[in-house]
Amino acid sequence: MKTLSFFCIDFDDNFWVDFFKKQKTFSPDIWIERKEFTKKKFLKNFKNSKFIDWQKAIRGQLNIKKNYKLNRKEEKYYELNYEKISFMLKRYEKYDDKISIVKKKEYIKKQFIKWKSFLKENKLDVVLFKSIPHHGFDFIIYQICKFHN
């Protein structure tokens, strides 16, 4: 039986580490988290898994070998959903409110491409969100997953 690979975002308490530890058919291959105690417990229990620091996820600082381009359908989907994605990133404008619309659009598209590349490279079966995606990066991941089913 194939073990499913999971990408877990914001599972910030020990319950989830213990839950995944008990599973036989799936394991968390990649985990994004901000709390140090969860990070330590995760790394101790899942030595073959990757951990991405929350701040690096927000900045799109990912270890990817190649940035894949968007195909025509993805490009159209991105354009149609730009307003939703842009709205989710409004919360970060307090850090840089002088950013031009053009630069903002370039930044969001760059993040979209980075996360698409990351998901493609890691060949994940399931992406789990503990809560409704409401940060910039997790909403972008959600939109990519939604497009690709």
Side-chain angles (χ1 to χ4, degrees):
M1 181 186 320
K2 181 185 184 255
T3 302
L4 295 174
S5 60
F6 276 66
F7 179 18
C8 303
I9 301 169
D10 201 18
F11 286 78
D12 60 354
D13 50 56
N14 286 325
F15 168 82
W16 293 104
V17 175
D18 295 335
F19 171 81
F20 279 106
K21 205 162 64 171
K22 294 174 189 172
Q23 304 310 309
K24 302 286 186 245
T25 55
F26 57 89
S27 68
D29 291 286
I30 303 171
W31 194 283
I32 294 179
E33 186 45 59
R34 60 185 131 194
K35 293 186 180 169
E36 196 61 35
F37 69 88
T38 310
K39 175 182 176 179
K40 287 178 184 174
K41 191 167 183 179
F42 171 78
L43 292 173
K44 179 182 169 192
N45 288 287
F46 305 105
K47 293 180 181 15
N48 295 329
S49 299
K50 296 177 190 174
F51 182 88
I52 301 173
D53 180 71
W54 190 262
Q55 291 302 317
K56 286 186 177 189
I58 288 172
R59 293 182 183 106
Q61 296 172 336
L62 308 167
N63 292 325
I64 49 178
K65 295 175 185 133
K66 177 182 174 184
N67 270 332
Y68 294 88
K69 293 184 177 172
L70 300 180
N71 63 38
R72 221 175 299 146
K73 286 183 180 178
E74 289 170 329
E75 191 77 46
K76 188 173 181 178
Y77 181 82
Y78 167 77
E79 290 297 329
L80 289 171
N81 288 283
Y82 168 75
E83 290 303 320
K84 289 181 200 171
I85 296 166
S86 176
F87 177 75
M88 294 309 292
L89 290 177
K90 277 201 181 296
R91 62 187 302 157
Y92 299 112
E93 285 182 1
K94 63 184 172 191
Y95 304 114
D96 189 3
D97 61 348
K98 294 174 181 63
I99 190 167
S100 72
I101 293 171
V102 172
K103 288 280 187 196
K104 184 176 177 182
K105 197 164 187 173
E106 285 172 11
Y107 172 79
I108 294 169
K109 188 170 187 176
K110 187 175 172 184
Q111 294 302 311
F112 200 87
I113 291 169
K114 279 185 178 185
W115 283 108
K116 177 207 173 195
S117 301
F118 179 84
L119 293 170
K120 188 172 184 167
E121 263 183 27
N122 287 285
K123 298 180 178 119
L124 299 157
D125 296 306
V126 178
V127 177
L128 287 177
F129 301 91
K130 182 180 170 194
S131 60
I132 296 167
H134 59 285
H135 300 282
F137 77 91
D138 60 351
F139 192 72
I140 289 171
I141 294 167
Y142 167 76
Q143 289 295 329
I144 295 165
C145 292
K146 186 176 170 185
F147 176 80
H148 289 286
N149 291 326

